[in-house]
């Protein structure tokens, strides 16, 4: 799977937890180089604590290549 990120940073901008580091995707590279999982977990815990549904996915939604048909 080839990286299509280029200079795009829409996922970084969309992340409410500021967990995405802005590093381009490379298939065999650890996700921890691109994503601070602890920030995601903290964000979900805050949502639960506020009695809100702990669902996000804003990074996937913002990705122009993650949309259907691309």
């Amino acid at each position: 799977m080839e990286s299509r990120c280029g200079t795009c940073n829409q996922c970084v901008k969309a992340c409410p937890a500021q967990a995405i580091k802005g590093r381009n995707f490379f298939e065999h590279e650890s996700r921890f180089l691109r994503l601070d999982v602890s920030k995601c977990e903290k964000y979900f815990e805050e949502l639960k604590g506020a009695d809100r549904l702990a669902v996000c996915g804003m990074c996937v939604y913002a990705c122009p290549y993650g949309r259907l048909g691309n």
Side-chain angles (χ1 to χ4, degrees), residues 8-60:
C8 180
N9 66 353
Q10 293 303 307
C11 60
V12 176
K13 291 178 184 178
C15 180
Q18 298 178 337
I20 301 176
K21 299 177 180 180
R23 183 181 176 102
N24 283 355
F25 170 81
F26 294 100
E27 184 177 7
H28 298 292
E29 193 172 68
S30 170
R31 71 178 178 160
F32 300 109
L33 293 174
R34 293 183 308 278
L35 177 70
D36 185 335
V37 176
S38 65
K39 286 184 177 182
C40 280
E41 290 172 349
K42 182 180 176 188
Y43 178 71
F44 285 119
E45 290 302 318
E46 289 171 0
L47 290 174
K48 289 179 190 175
D51 203 26
R52 294 179 56 198
L53 186 61
V55 175
C56 188
M58 293 303 296
C59 55
V60 176

